[in-house]
Amino acid sequence: MRTASVLGVSMIALLAASNAAAQTTPPASTTEAPAADSTDELAPQEAGADEIVVTGFRSSLSQALNIKRSSAGQVDAILAEDMAKFPDLNLAESIQRLPGVTIDRENGEGRTISVRGLGSQFTQVRINGMETQAAYGGNTNRGFDFSMFASELFNSIKVNKTQSAELEEGSLGATVDLQTGRGLDFGSGTHFAVSAQGSYNDLAKNVQPRLAGLVSWANADNTFGVLFSAAYSKRNPISESFNTTRWQAGDPSQPYGAGNNFAGCLSCTTDAQRSELLSAAYPRIPRYTFGEVDIDRLGLTGSVQWRPDEHTDVTLDVLYARFNQEAESPNIEAIGFSRAAGGVRDTIVNEYEVDPTKNILSYGVFDNVDIRSENGFERNESTFHQVSFNMRHDFTDRFRGRLKVGESETRARTPLSVAYKFDANDRDGYMFDFRGNDRLPVIAYGFDVTDGRNFALTEWSKSRSGTNFRLANMSGALEYDLTDGLTIKTGGEYHTYRFDTFGFQAAVTKLSGANAPTDVTNLGKVVDLNGSMDIPAGTDMAYLVPDIDKLAGFVSMYNDPLVPAYNGTRRVNEKDAGGFVQADFHTTIAGMTARGNIGLRYAHTSVDSTGYLAIGNANTNVTVKNDYEDWLPSFNLAIEPTNDVTVRLGAAKVMSRPSLGDLTPGGSLSTPTQKVTYGNPLLDPFRATNYDVSVEWYFAKESLIAVAAFYKDIKSFTSSVTETVPWSSLGLPDSLLVGTPSSPDMDFDVSRKINGLGGSLKGIEVQYQQPFSFLPGPLRHMGFIGNYTYVTSDVDYGAAGHNKLTGQSEHAYNATIYYETKKISARVSGAYRGKYLLSFPGGNGNTEEGVNGTLNIDASLSYNLTKNITLSIQGVNLTDEYNDRYVDITDRVSNYRHFGREILFGFRANF
């Protein structure tokens, strides 16, 4: 019924548009911009003879506004103001300036994006027109890691928030188009651009380089051009934090490990006090941590472009990126509180205090506490490459075609991950105190935690792992102008998507008794927390941790053989084939300019999922096949009641394929008990029907006030369940049961992912943009860009007991004030993302886990020393905003972390 209703509205609008177009040839819209449709790259806008040409940042805003205005659907764009000069240092941080977009940060910079409340796995990303995947550091999802790429490599970003039939399926939230530079972008002749910056982090207290360069050449006729660009940067962010690894709910029904009644609580004299103590939640692993990350990033692009005339354009684009990261994570903690069987009950409580508002132990002094000092080291190495061939040709004035062929591959490796542990057991006098500051408590261990004689080396481990993503794309389309106002488009695509991940590990080595070195002075190093966190007095600020380099020469682990980690080895082979038919119309209705598109897309998906199923002591490789198809109608209409107002309507059925990590048939099978635990290779995609409406008022030159509303009727969300179902419904081969007590006609108790119940997501975006050229004096050089997004959701997760979509912030806003003259360009930007959920329940008796709201302030100032040379200084996260992760509805601290401010200074030259 929903498909029929969308198609019905679409056909009525198409017939009306076709009839009107056949009777009259509408005048060209004054707002239409070339090359702004949903599948082609963004083109620079040309100013009319009577227009005042603006340059720099303001020019890029004006061009992006023209793209938004001329599109049939809801589109937002960001353009580089000059060669290889994006307005932010990170692509994700640039995209967050757009309405409805929020980002997730890692190591002090943006990594993934969410659009209109839907996370990165629901957002499709294309580079140079090709769907692709970039990932590092254990990413086994469809989410795109924007931080793999230097922003200097790209000229434009376009976010398509509504769907059209010619746009490939795969997104519930948005399709993001990233475009690198091309040889004919800058006109004939040779052009150079180079930039050099030093990046200073106020926690790391060192300066790291950021370098970029571009060279392009085009012949005198501007029909053949080549381009090459490169960008290299290093970062050395420092992480300081306090975390608890959640809070453990107490249980007064259980006795003390040290004895019954009040034996473990010296402060308890009544049953009420004992119940109060054992009912309160306590921190599982309370600790201050200090981490250091070394990142180096290299990006290269190349392009060869041939445009012999206005009817033909042939381009070959190549993109390479390398992202390496090394991280060391030393910390010390009261590991004894995390013991599942004991926790506080296995200690002697000398003093305590309970905060009744959060029902937590806010203060305590304990004896018989196990303390652990640990350190880990991990190296991640990731590479990405893409080769894409794009061809567009006009066969006649009315008949055109385009062809796209390409492939991309991401190889993410963790060649080494090691961890060491020093233990000090049964220590007296341990204390924590959250009463003065519930994010930065007092932590004291009751003994000298810098003395190696107080610790023993007890454990070490080693592993390596890797992930591969391979995508091959081929697509083609034809379009024919049936009339001056009606164009028919048709085409198809064939994609292959291969994902595989593997892991190897050494058996964890544990030492005890006489085998455990009891003086680790020569195997450790002292970490000092005297950084910029406002840690309260009384906290042990320095502590001994394992020294990675010293221990590498002490233990044989680095030469120990590794064995396969079967639970981390799996593969997904996916083949996606589809086609579309679409009608684009441009006409007048009741004297109003109207344009839009109506179309239908067909998509067929075939999936082979492979994983290891543990059956007894054996690991069996299992492959399960699945396929499904989707019919996806879409409709977009833009009406201009007046020359400065555009009203947009959109409706579409959309789909997003399941998370790659959920498709594995790997897990465990117990045939004697008829129990199975695995992912679910038979998962269907996420499906939804989207409805969109917006009103845009272009009330002055380079100015906009817009309001957009959206509603997504989502059919299902993936949920984890345990249920009794027939073996035949699992997709697993019957051969697994041969010779066992089980048979294929039996029911099994199965723990797996399923396509659960659905829900709805709705929201509103408000956008305002204007240069203040009407103001007197220097104020006329100022301007403002801002937006606000409100999103709410109502999702049925079945037994999960929550109706909010994870990763969805209810409130988000962005604002930028800028000042621009021929000599000076200055900007101050703020990006707020409201509180959002990560999971529920939150584990260990907590109702939920999430992240509190953040406000990040950035600024930049540049001065044009000459026509070709610009000096600049930029500040990132100027207020040193903390990432505040919490558990439970009472807002108990989980991880309170910061990475410091980053200041970049340098120059840029172009010729």
Side-chain angles (χ1 to χ4, degrees):
M1 290 298 293
R2 295 186 186 275
T3 303
S5 65
V6 173
L7 279 174
V9 172
S10 302
M11 290 305 298
I12 292 172
L14 175 58
L15 289 172
S18 178
N19 183 58
Q23 298 177 34
T24 179
T25 301
S29 170
T30 58
T31 64
E32 186 170 10
D37 70 59
S38 61
T39 60
D40 291 333
E41 68 275 9
L42 304 178
Q45 307 300 303
E46 297 180 359
D50 58 343
E51 293 180 346
I52 298 174
V53 178
V54 295
T55 59
F57 180 66
R58 183 173 161 185
S59 173
S60 67
L61 295 178
S62 178
Q63 293 182 45
L65 208 60
N66 286 340
I67 291 167
K68 179 181 182 70
R69 189 172 186 178
S70 63
S71 300
Q74 291 187 21
V75 170
D76 285 296
I78 302 175
L79 280 74
E81 60 187 270
D82 204 344
M83 289 189 297
K85 188 182 178 185
F86 232 75
D88 283 281
L89 299 178
N90 179 285
L91 286 178
E93 292 171 5
S94 290
I95 299 174
Q96 74 170 332
R97 312 293 179 201
L98 297 175
V101 181
T102 56
I103 66 174
D104 293 306
R105 287 182 169 86
E106 184 173 293
N107 296 322
E109 64 178 334
R111 180 174 181 178
T112 60
I113 69 170
S114 299
V115 181
R116 290 181 166 178
L118 291 167
S120 61
Q121 69 270 30
F122 299 111
T123 300
Q124 181 175 251
V125 178
R126 305 190 304 181
I127 297 179
N128 297 330
M130 294 288 180
E131 180 187 0
T132 191
Q133 171 74 62
Y136 74 87
N139 184 354
T140 58
N141 209 328
R142 296 182 190 266
F144 188 91
D145 284 328
F146 287 88
S147 52
M148 273 197 70
F149 302 97
S151 58
E152 292 91 341
L153 301 176
F154 296 87
N155 281 358
S156 64
I157 299 173
K158 185 170 70 168
V159 179
N160 303 278
K161 297 180 180 177
T162 55
Q163 186 77 12
S164 61
E166 65 181 334
L167 203 60
E168 291 104 324
E169 77 285 345
S171 162
L172 255 61
T175 296
V176 177
D177 279 306
L178 306 177
Q179 181 65 51
T180 60
R182 287 179 169 171
L184 300 180
D185 286 349
F186 309 113
S188 61
T190 303
H191 301 270
F192 297 93
V194 62
S195 65
Q197 291 179 306
S199 176
Y200 174 80
N201 181 279
D202 68 345
L203 291 187
K205 300 188 185 308
N206 57 29
V207 177
Q208 300 288 349
R210 185 181 181 99
L211 308 170
L214 177 149
V215 57
S216 71
W217 174 87
N219 61 5
D221 296 331
N222 206 36
T223 58
F224 180 80
V226 294
L227 178 144
F228 174 78
S229 70
Y232 174 78
S233 64
K234 285 183 65 70
R235 294 185 68 238
N236 181 217
I238 297 294
S239 166
E240 294 181 333
S241 71
F242 173 77
N243 65 70
T244 60
T245 318
R246 298 189 299 273
W247 292 69
Q248 176 73 49
D251 185 356
S253 67
Q254 298 297 318
Y256 277 107
N260 293 321
N261 300 321
F262 309 125
C265 180
L266 302 181
S267 300
C268 298
T269 58
T270 67
D271 287 333
Q273 288 177 317
R274 179 184 182 278
S275 178
E276 176 189 50
L277 170 68
L278 294 184
S279 297
Y282 52 87
R284 293 190 67 242
I285 309 179
R287 59 188 177 185
Y288 281 98
T289 68
F290 176 92
E292 186 171 1
V293 182
D294 286 306
I295 297 171
D296 72 87
R297 177 168 39 210
L298 172 68
L300 305 171
T301 75
S303 177
V304 178
Q305 187 174 15
W306 180 50
R307 189 186 295 158
D309 52 48
E310 62 181 2
H311 303 294
T312 304
D313 192 318
V314 181
T315 307
L316 177 68
D317 295 302
V318 179
L319 172 62
Y320 170 84
R322 187 200 70 204
F323 186 93
N324 291 340
Q325 175 177 289
E326 293 183 351
E328 189 172 336
S329 51
N331 56 73
I332 188 171
E333 68 253 352
I335 191 67
F337 289 121
S338 70
R339 310 295 191 196
V344 168
R345 297 193 311 275
D346 273 348
T347 70
I348 303 297
V349 183
N350 297 307
E351 302 176 34
Y352 79 93
E353 189 171 317
V354 172
D355 178 355
T357 61
K358 297 186 178 183
N359 190 33
I360 61 171
L361 279 177
S362 57
Y363 166 72
V365 180
F366 308 89
D367 292 342
N368 195 34
V369 178
D370 294 340
I371 306 299
R372 171 171 292 168
S373 168
E374 59 185 354
N375 196 3
F377 173 84
E378 184 173 277
R379 178 171 176 80
N380 291 300
E381 301 174 349
S382 300
T383 60
F384 170 92
H385 78 259
Q386 182 192 61
V387 179
S388 57
F389 174 82
N390 288 264
M391 179 177 179
R392 178 179 55 81
H393 181 66
D394 299 340
F395 299 101
T396 69
D397 290 343
R398 290 183 174 270
F399 185 45
R400 297 170 294 279
R402 67 175 184 268
L403 174 68
K404 298 181 181 182
V405 180
E407 65 92 20
S408 66
E409 181 179 27
T410 295
R411 294 168 57 88
R413 297 288 183 269
T414 304
L416 180 63
S417 178
V418 296
Y420 302 93
K421 297 175 181 178
F422 292 165
D423 281 341
N425 295 327
D426 300 328
R427 293 292 170 165
D428 296 339
Y430 174 80
M431 183 268 288
F432 61 69
D433 188 353
F434 291 82
R435 295 173 299 182
N437 186 331
D438 67 346
R439 260 48 190 175
L440 298 173
V442 177
I443 301 287
Y445 291 91
F447 67 102
D448 186 354
V449 290
T450 66
D451 190 342
R453 293 169 296 180
N454 291 323
F455 293 94
L457 173 63
T458 58
E459 186 175 317
W460 63 76
S461 62
K462 181 182 73 166
S463 65
R464 66 180 177 91
S465 58
T467 305
N468 300 307
F469 298 86
R470 300 181 184 93
L471 286 82
N473 302 267
M474 179 173 64
S475 65
L478 298 172
E479 55 185 75
Y480 180 73
D481 296 335
L482 193 62
T483 69
D484 289 340
L486 182 62
T487 298
I488 304 299
K489 299 179 178 179
T490 186
E493 302 86 25
Y494 180 75
H495 299 165
T496 61
Y497 194 139
R498 180 184 173 95
F499 159 81
D500 65 89
T501 181
F502 60 86
F504 294 88
Q505 62 188 16
V508 174
T509 301
K510 295 188 177 183
L511 302 176
S512 61
N515 294 322
T518 54
D519 183 350
V520 296
T521 302
N522 295 326
L523 300 177
K525 63 180 180 180
V526 174
V527 171
D528 194 337
L529 288 173
N530 283 291
S532 60
M533 283 202 305
D534 190 19
I535 300 176
T539 297
D540 287 330
M541 304 292 276
Y543 53 88
L544 185 81
V545 299
D547 187 305
I548 300 296
D549 294 331
K550 293 177 181 177
L551 280 159
F554 177 76
V555 300
S556 64
M557 180 182 66
Y558 289 86
N559 298 317
D560 290 348
L562 296 174
V563 297
Y566 290 101
N567 60 345
T569 301
R570 53 186 181 271
R571 183 178 71 248
V572 175
N573 286 331
E574 184 177 281
K575 298 178 181 178
D576 309 324
F580 73 93
V581 59
Q582 178 175 306
D584 289 7
F585 56 88
H586 191 148
T587 185
T588 57
I589 299 177
M592 297 181 295
T593 298
R595 62 184 184 277
N597 55 66
I598 304 163
L600 178 65
R601 167 169 285 275
Y602 170 77
H604 181 271
T605 305
S606 176
V607 185
D608 291 356
S609 304
T610 300
Y612 282 92
L613 201 63
I615 308 175
N617 295 323
N619 288 279
T620 302
N621 191 272
V622 179
T623 297
V624 177
K625 298 180 181 296
N626 188 28
D627 64 271
Y628 46 86
E629 62 181 19
D630 289 89
W631 292 92
L632 305 169
S634 60
F635 165 63
N636 291 284
L637 174 64
I639 300 176
E640 298 179 3
T642 66
N643 288 334
D644 56 7
V645 174
T646 301
V647 179
R648 302 184 195 276
L649 302 173
K653 292 179 71 67
V654 296
M655 62 88 86
S656 182
R657 295 180 176 90
S659 172
L660 297 167
D662 290 342
L663 290 174
T664 178
S668 62
L669 166 64
S670 172
T671 54
T673 60
Q674 286 83 51
K675 290 185 178 181
V676 179
T677 299
Y678 72 150
N680 188 349
L682 300 182
L683 282 173
D684 285 333
F686 301 89
R687 295 184 171 104
T689 304
N690 292 352
Y691 302 94
D692 297 89
V693 60
S694 67
V695 179
E696 301 162 9
W697 179 28
Y698 299 88
F699 60 93
K701 186 178 179 181
E702 305 170 50
S703 302
L704 167 70
I705 294 177
V707 179
F710 51 90
Y711 179 85
K712 300 179 185 293
D713 181 10
I714 304 173
K715 303 305 178 186
S716 71
F717 282 97
T718 302
S719 301
S720 297
V721 299
T722 298
E723 56 187 352
T724 302
V725 297
W727 172 266
S728 59
S729 69
L730 303 181
L732 299 174
D734 294 345
S735 59
L736 295 174
L737 303 183
V738 174
T740 74
S742 301
S743 63
D745 59 352
M746 288 183 173
D747 288 343
F748 278 68
D749 294 331
V750 182
S751 298
R752 61 175 176 171
K753 300 281 189 176
I754 64 167
N755 292 108
L757 300 175
S760 63
L761 182 145
K762 57 187 176 182
I764 187 170
E765 296 171 354
V766 180
Q767 187 175 3
Y768 167 55
Q769 175 176 326
Q770 184 177 20
F772 297 154
S773 52
F774 55 87
L775 292 177
L779 296 179
R780 72 183 185 276
H781 299 298
M782 296 181 64
F784 177 82
I785 321 161
N787 59 75
Y788 165 77
T789 304
Y790 170 78
V791 183
T792 185
S793 58
D794 187 2
V795 179
D796 192 340
Y797 286 97
H802 218 295
N803 65 348
K804 291 290 186 183
L805 186 64
T806 56
Q808 173 233 311
S809 294
E810 197 166 82
H811 303 278
Y813 61 79
N814 293 276
T816 297
I817 298 175
Y818 65 87
Y819 180 90
E820 185 135 356
T821 68
K822 290 183 179 180
K823 281 287 187 181
I824 297 174
S825 179
R827 298 191 295 275
V828 178
S829 300
Y832 173 79
R833 180 179 186 180
K835 175 181 177 180
Y836 60 95
L837 289 171
L838 293 172
S839 63
F840 48 84
N844 302 105
N846 297 284
T847 59
E848 63 190 51
E849 184 168 7
V851 179
N852 283 311
T854 56
L855 174 62
N856 286 81
I857 305 295
D858 305 324
S860 67
L861 173 65
S862 62
Y863 177 76
N864 295 325
L865 190 64
T866 69
K867 180 181 178 181
N868 304 110
I869 299 177
T870 300
L871 305 179
S872 67
I873 183 169
Q874 296 170 282
V876 179
N877 191 26
L878 289 175
T879 58
D880 191 14
E881 185 79 348
Y882 278 66
N883 180 278
D884 186 2
R885 189 162 168 170
Y886 73 93
V887 292
D888 203 73
I889 196 173
T890 59
D891 190 33
R892 301 164 181 166
V893 60
S894 173
N895 197 339
Y896 189 63
R897 174 174 295 182
H898 77 141
F899 291 90
R901 304 166 183 84
E902 201 150 335
I903 307 298
L904 297 102
F905 50 91
F907 76 94
R908 184 177 183 278
N910 62 81
F911 304 94

